[in-house]
Amino acid sequence: MVKIVLNADVKKGKINKNIYGHFSEHLGRCIYEGLWVGEDSEIPNIKGFRTDVVEALKKMKIPVLRWPGGCFADEYHWVDGIGPKENRPCMVNTHWGGVVENNHFGTHEFLELCEMLEAEPYICGNVGSGTVHEMQQWVEYMTFDGKSPMADLRRANGKDEPWSVKYFGVGNENWGCGGNMTAEFYADQYKRYATYVRNFGENKIYKIAGGASVDDYHWTEVLMKEAGKQMDGLSIHYYTRISKDWSEQGSATEFNENHWFSVMQNALFTEELVARHSNIMDKYDSEKKVGMIVDEWGTWFAVEPGTNPGFLYQQNTMRDALVAGIHLNIFNNHCDRVQMANIAQMVNVLQAVILTEGKNMILTPTYHVFDMYKVHQDAELLSMDFESPEYTYNGEKVPQLSASSSVDSEGRIHVTLCNLNPSEDMNIDIDLRGITAKSSTGEIITSSTMNAKNTFEEANNVTIKKFEGVRLENNHISGIIPSKAVVMLEIV
């Protein structure tokens, strides 16, 4: 029996809705085919955007969307993606598959998509191969409301009023594909470029510095020490795999408990990463003014057989659903420092929430976790204490339970629970303190097998279902959480 004490009257801070953010890169079939099919497509669309995908994303309440990359950002020159589509030059996507793109999806299209989704745009600028002047002009083009060459060019391209662009990344993975820089060199480059990412009119930009890869704590130390006062956010990237060794990829769908366990283990490593990077940030920013921005996270497995290895197309199973739930619980519980997170990626790439094939679309298990967890957006984190039982496999152990809880503006409490064990149920007893509960309801995502997935033939194998496995009595919620399950309880 797991005894949980939930202190409904002890609030620990606001869960920034941007923790539930997403990432769309020019990679494989994420943008082209996934989001954008063009106005002449036989696939139903709204001004070139897939109608089915847009509607599904709106239901999930995406708060913020990152674009154009990723590694792609450091070879992207924004002027090639504006103006009449027939006049836009093609470009070779050298990072991802070597395909030629027609640049039909550019600045106007991305910002229009964000307006359709009611999501804040998060644009990543080109530090790797771009110039300070190019970045400065892009910001002016998008956000300046007066008369200037860039604002006039925007008007000539059909947009009279400027956009609101709140989030701007000054570079991406500058330790790697963004220029192979040292932390010391990038800190200087960041300050130089960021100086010219200006606020025009009412538009106030939240500047995000390119942060560390995984556990490169030196990078965080240098950036905070040298440039912490010039940034609003600092990113971190970490992908969950079957092994810390990048040469071992593993199948997204064909796996045994050995690879289930290693993925749970590696997903939980996020807790250590967030805590240790936070400790370094605290040294230079005790007031937590600089947000941790986990703008690339998720599973990374081998591509589906027969697909372009540069497109990173992978299926999505119950295992991915648990990875999503674990991460979102961790980010919720660290909402004092984590201010945004962006799962990679939104459609058809890595741990996608949506997969498309021609006219068809399916929602993945990960989609349903985001849909279930959206109740936490902008809610207040609640104090919750418990000692998790251990999930043991081959002599190694991880916590069996991952959880977080919050209260929304209408006083509804939501508790999200993940049972990481693929074969053992978990008895729970939640002692509700600071509230007299009247009722509770629940939802669950689970399956009979570890590798259950949604396919184009069977699209509803893994979905949200009503959960009746717990009961409320004497201000306690007790019952059984099934194996390999993600559960959300609502208490009023």
Side-chain angles (χ1 to χ4, degrees):
M1 173 74 72
V2 185
K3 293 187 176 298
I4 302 170
V5 176
L6 194 159
N7 298 295
D9 54 348
V10 180
K11 298 177 181 178
K12 302 181 70 175
K14 184 177 181 179
I15 298 172
N16 194 322
K17 65 180 180 180
N18 291 332
I19 283 172
Y20 293 83
H22 290 259
F23 173 33
S24 57
E25 183 171 11
H26 289 247
L27 196 173
R29 296 188 299 114
C30 180
I31 299 293
Y32 298 101
E33 293 187 40
L35 290 166
W36 175 264
V37 291
E39 293 158 280
D40 298 330
S41 173
E42 294 182 359
I43 296 172
N45 66 87
I46 307 166
K47 297 182 179 179
F49 304 99
R50 285 187 68 127
T51 306
D52 52 358
V53 171
V54 168
E55 291 304 316
L57 294 174
K58 285 172 70 174
K59 180 179 183 294
M60 200 170 57
K61 294 187 177 178
I62 290 180
V64 63
L65 180 58
R66 182 174 180 246
W67 172 85
C71 292
F72 180 85
D74 283 288
E75 283 192 323
Y76 182 66
H77 300 283
W78 69 272
V79 292
D80 294 338
I82 61 171
K85 291 183 177 64
E86 63 272 15
N87 295 338
R88 298 182 191 180
C90 293
M91 68 172 290
V92 179
N93 191 334
T94 55
H95 281 294
W96 305 118
V99 296
V100 177
E101 297 195 6
N102 60 18
N103 266 315
H104 284 192
F105 189 97
T107 300
H108 287 249
E109 289 73 29
F110 171 68
L111 292 171
E112 187 172 353
L113 174 63
C114 288
E115 289 175 349
M116 293 169 66
L117 298 177
E118 298 181 4
E120 291 281 357
Y122 168 17
I123 286 179
C124 188
N126 181 349
V127 170
S129 68
T131 65
V132 174
H133 187 224
E134 180 182 23
M135 189 176 290
Q136 178 270 321
Q137 285 192 315
W138 197 6
V139 174
E140 181 184 322
Y141 180 89
M142 293 184 289
T143 65
F144 186 55
D145 58 355
K147 182 171 177 57
S148 76
M150 290 301 100
D152 288 346
L153 179 58
R154 181 192 71 238
R155 294 184 185 100
N157 287 328
K159 187 71 167 68
D160 289 337
E161 297 299 319
W163 290 283
S164 172
V165 177
K166 184 173 182 180
Y167 301 102
F168 197 93
V170 183
N172 167 76
E173 293 191 356
N174 301 96
W175 38 262
C177 64
N180 288 301
M181 304 175 190
T182 63
E184 292 77 8
F185 181 77
Y186 172 68
D188 286 339
Q189 289 297 298
Y190 170 80
K191 288 185 287 187
R192 178 172 172 244
Y193 278 73
T195 298
Y196 300 93
V197 177
R198 302 189 188 281
N199 295 325
F200 292 110
E202 299 297 316
N203 194 76
K204 307 301 179 188
I205 290 180
Y206 185 101
K207 300 176 188 178
I208 299 169
S213 171
V214 193
D215 55 357
D216 184 354
Y217 301 115
H218 172 74
W219 187 280
T220 297
E221 183 92 37
V222 171
L223 265 292
M224 288 301 299
K225 181 180 179 181
E226 301 297 334
K229 290 185 174 16
Q230 285 82 36
M231 68 177 74
D232 299 300
L234 179 62
S235 75
I236 176 176
H237 291 177
Y238 173 61
Y239 287 95
T240 298
R241 301 167 62 83
I242 65 165
S243 167
K244 298 291 175 62
D245 183 351
W246 274 80
S247 67
E248 298 182 41
Q249 292 190 319
S251 169
T253 58
E254 301 300 323
F255 53 85
N256 53 25
E257 189 172 355
N258 182 42
H259 283 173
W260 171 282
F261 183 86
S262 65
V263 166
M264 296 301 113
Q265 202 172 37
N266 290 330
L268 289 165
F269 182 57
T270 301
E271 173 71 37
E272 178 181 326
L273 290 175
V274 170
R276 292 188 64 180
H277 282 290
S278 292
N279 288 340
I280 295 169
M281 295 174 76
D282 286 346
K283 283 173 55 179
Y284 303 96
D285 175 35
S286 60
E287 296 180 14
K288 301 185 187 294
K289 293 181 179 179
V290 179
M292 181 182 292
I293 312 296
V294 191
D295 55 15
E296 289 190 31
W297 69 270
T299 56
W300 190 314
F301 302 125
V303 301
E304 292 304 299
T307 64
N308 188 326
F311 282 11
L312 305 186
Y313 176 80
Q314 66 189 43
Q315 249 289 2
N316 201 288
T317 69
M318 191 64 220
R319 182 175 65 172
D320 295 270
L322 266 297
V323 170
I326 290 167
H327 277 80
L328 295 173
N329 284 334
I330 291 171
F331 299 151
N332 287 347
N333 290 328
H334 286 274
C335 66
D336 59 335
R337 180 63 82 177
V338 179
Q339 296 301 318
M340 186 193 297
N342 308 78
I343 190 171
Q345 294 187 15
M346 199 157 68
V347 187
N348 291 331
V349 173
L350 297 175
Q351 193 175 349
V353 295
I354 291 174
L355 301 177
T356 67
E357 190 176 89
K359 293 181 179 181
N360 300 318
M361 177 198 79
I362 56 173
L363 308 177
T364 68
T366 299
Y367 174 97
H368 295 299
V369 174
F370 270 83
D371 194 29
M372 174 186 282
Y373 273 56
K374 68 188 177 187
V375 292
H376 288 305
Q377 291 187 22
D378 280 347
E380 292 281 339
L381 180 70
L382 293 178
S383 168
M384 189 164 61
D385 299 310
F386 62 89
E387 285 190 20
S388 172
E390 293 174 332
Y391 163 33
T392 303
Y393 180 78
N394 275 354
E396 294 190 81
K397 301 175 181 178
V398 297
Q400 184 177 353
L401 173 63
S402 165
S404 65
S405 61
S406 68
V407 58
D408 66 18
S409 59
E410 297 179 4
R412 295 171 299 195
I413 293 172
H414 296 100
V415 183
T416 43
L417 307 153
C418 298
N419 182 354
L420 279 56
N421 194 310
S423 57
E424 292 185 9
D425 297 345
M426 181 169 52
N427 283 287
I428 65 162
D429 179 87
I430 305 176
D431 180 1
L432 301 170
R433 300 183 182 177
I435 183 179
T436 301
K438 299 174 183 176
S439 66
S440 69
T441 55
E443 294 180 343
I444 187 169
I445 301 168
T446 191
S447 60
S448 58
T449 60
M450 291 185 291
N451 62 349
K453 62 184 183 292
N454 295 331
T455 67
F456 292 98
E457 295 73 34
E458 297 181 339
N460 297 306
N461 286 331
V462 185
T463 60
I464 297 174
K465 293 183 171 63
K466 187 176 181 181
F467 180 56
E468 298 177 331
V470 296
R471 67 184 182 278
L472 171 65
E473 188 175 350
N474 297 325
N475 232 38
H476 282 245
I477 293 178
S478 58
I480 297 174
I481 305 298
S483 64
K484 54 185 174 306
V486 183
V487 168
M488 187 276 290
L489 304 177
E490 181 173 284
I491 305 157
V492 295

